[in-house]
């Protein structure tokens, strides 16, 4: 995953490129960016991107925020990690296919963080070990 900042038709945005499981990356274009860039699906756009100067803080899902607030030791380690590490934890937690798996992973996260573990184990950031990281296909209009 690579954080970038850029413009699309002059509209400024910041994003994290996702691995495509083939050694490359893809950019999910948010609808607000399309609106801001006055672009519709299929349009050619002027796109400029560069590595982000500052790593963006990931959005913490509500269920994880609640679990962290109930575990002061885990929250302290969480707060002392980098935004990249926090993004990795959130991505790993979110990859579960069911609500039960997600809940189990949150429990494991809280346990590992409470014990001082700063990085998630068993997580391949490149996306090459798992087809879970792949570029979505565009919907036909």
């Amino acid at each position: 995953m690579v954080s970038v900042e850029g413009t699309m038709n002059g509209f400024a945005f910041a994003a994290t490129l996702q691995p495509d499981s083939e050694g490359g990356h893809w950019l999910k274009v948010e609808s607000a960016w399309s609106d801001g860039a006055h672009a519709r699906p299929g349009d050619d756009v002027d796109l400029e991107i560069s590595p982000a100067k500052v790593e963006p803080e990931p959005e913490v899902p509500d269920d994880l925020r609640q679990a962290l607030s109930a575990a002061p030791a885990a929250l302290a380690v969480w707060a002392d990690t980098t935004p990249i590490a926090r993004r990795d934890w959130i991505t790993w937690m979110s990859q579960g296919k069911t609500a039960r798996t997600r809940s189990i992973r949150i429990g494991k996260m809280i346990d590992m963080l409470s014990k001082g573990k700063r990085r998630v184990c068993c997580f391949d950031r490149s996306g090459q070990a798992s087809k879970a990281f792949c570029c979505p296909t565009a919907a036909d209009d």
Side-chain angles (χ1 to χ4, degrees):
M1 292 181 260
V2 179
S3 295
V4 297
E5 50 196 29
T7 61
M8 183 169 56
N9 289 348
F11 180 80
F13 67 88
T16 300
L17 303 180
Q18 300 295 317
D20 66 4
S21 75
E22 296 177 7
H25 293 83
W26 59 274
L27 172 65
K28 177 182 179 185
V29 177
E30 302 290 340
S31 59
W33 308 350
S34 296
D35 294 345
H38 305 290
R40 297 181 37 80
D43 287 355
D44 288 334
V45 297
D46 290 323
L47 180 68
E48 294 183 22
I49 61 172
S50 60
K53 292 176 185 69
V54 176
E55 187 66 33
E57 191 62 43
E59 185 175 329
V60 180
D62 289 340
D63 52 354
L64 176 56
R65 186 179 313 279
Q66 289 175 343
L68 286 167
S69 67
L75 181 59
V77 173
W78 176 266
D80 194 43
T81 62
T82 66
I84 293 172
R86 289 190 288 271
R87 183 183 66 209
D88 287 351
W89 282 107
I90 291 168
T91 302
W92 174 74
M93 176 206 76
S94 301
Q95 284 180 330
K97 292 183 173 72
T98 67
R100 184 174 188 277
T101 300
R102 181 182 177 104
S103 178
I104 289 169
R105 288 189 179 182
I106 290 174
K108 288 180 180 181
M109 284 176 64
I110 297 302
D111 181 59
M112 287 188 275
L113 287 163
S114 293
K115 293 176 179 172
K117 187 164 180 78
R118 298 170 59 80
R119 303 289 287 195
V120 66
C121 70
C122 313
F123 177 67
D124 176 19
R125 320 175 75 226
S126 73
Q128 291 192 6
S130 169
K131 295 299 180 190
F133 282 146
C134 60
C135 180
T137 55
D140 292 329
D141 289 334

